[in-house]
Amino acid sequence: MTDRYPYPSDISREQFEAIGCHLESFRRRTKPRTHDLYDVVCGVLYVLKTGSQWRALPHDFPPHHTVHTTFRQWAAKPHADQPSLLETVLDGLVAAEREADGRAKKPPC
């Protein structure tokens, strides 16, 4: 668990559980994780929500270089015609919400 100050950009632990396994599976297992993945995700969301610079990330988040490097890895496309990990996770969340609302997973186009 984290002892840091909660920010308006944070997601809940329950929301994180829906995506945490996908994000964790992307990780290279070269050494043990030193920062809580939840805090890294919340750090990414803080920068995206506020528009601040990575170096201006508040000090109660993991180091800015850790958060930025992790975001770059998640946002990178493995090939030009393949979606990034973030796009894949977001598509899955949208499909699950649409299905829970009784709609088709994808809108008709």
Side-chain angles (χ1 to χ4, degrees), residues 2-76:
T2 181
D3 291 336
R4 68 175 178 75
Y5 178 81
Y7 290 91
S9 57
D10 287 357
I11 59 174
S12 68
R13 283 279 178 176
E14 293 78 26
Q15 292 170 317
F16 173 73
E17 292 303 320
I19 61 171
C21 59
H22 301 289
L23 301 177
E24 184 65 41
S25 68
F26 188 73
R27 178 176 171 254
R28 293 187 201 125
R29 307 247 191 276
T30 56
K31 59 183 178 178
R33 184 175 295 285
T34 55
H35 301 287
D36 187 359
L37 189 59
Y38 173 77
D39 289 335
V40 173
V41 169
C42 288
V44 168
L45 293 174
Y46 178 86
V47 170
L48 296 177
K49 176 81 174 176
T50 63
S52 74
Q53 298 170 341
W54 291 104
R55 288 181 184 261
L57 191 65
H59 293 284
D60 47 353
F61 285 111
H64 69 85
H65 54 84
T66 301
V67 176
H68 182 242
T69 300
T70 304
F71 171 74
R72 282 189 13 237
Q73 291 171 349
W74 291 342

Side-chain angles (χ1 to χ4, degrees), residues 74-105:
W74 291 342
K77 294 185 177 211
H79 299 287
D81 59 340
Q82 292 181 335
S84 70
L85 176 68
L86 290 179
E87 291 170 326
T88 303
V89 169
L90 182 59
D91 287 346
L93 290 174
V94 169
E97 284 297 315
R98 288 182 61 87
E99 207 169 33
D101 288 344
R103 299 183 292 166
K105 286 185 178 183

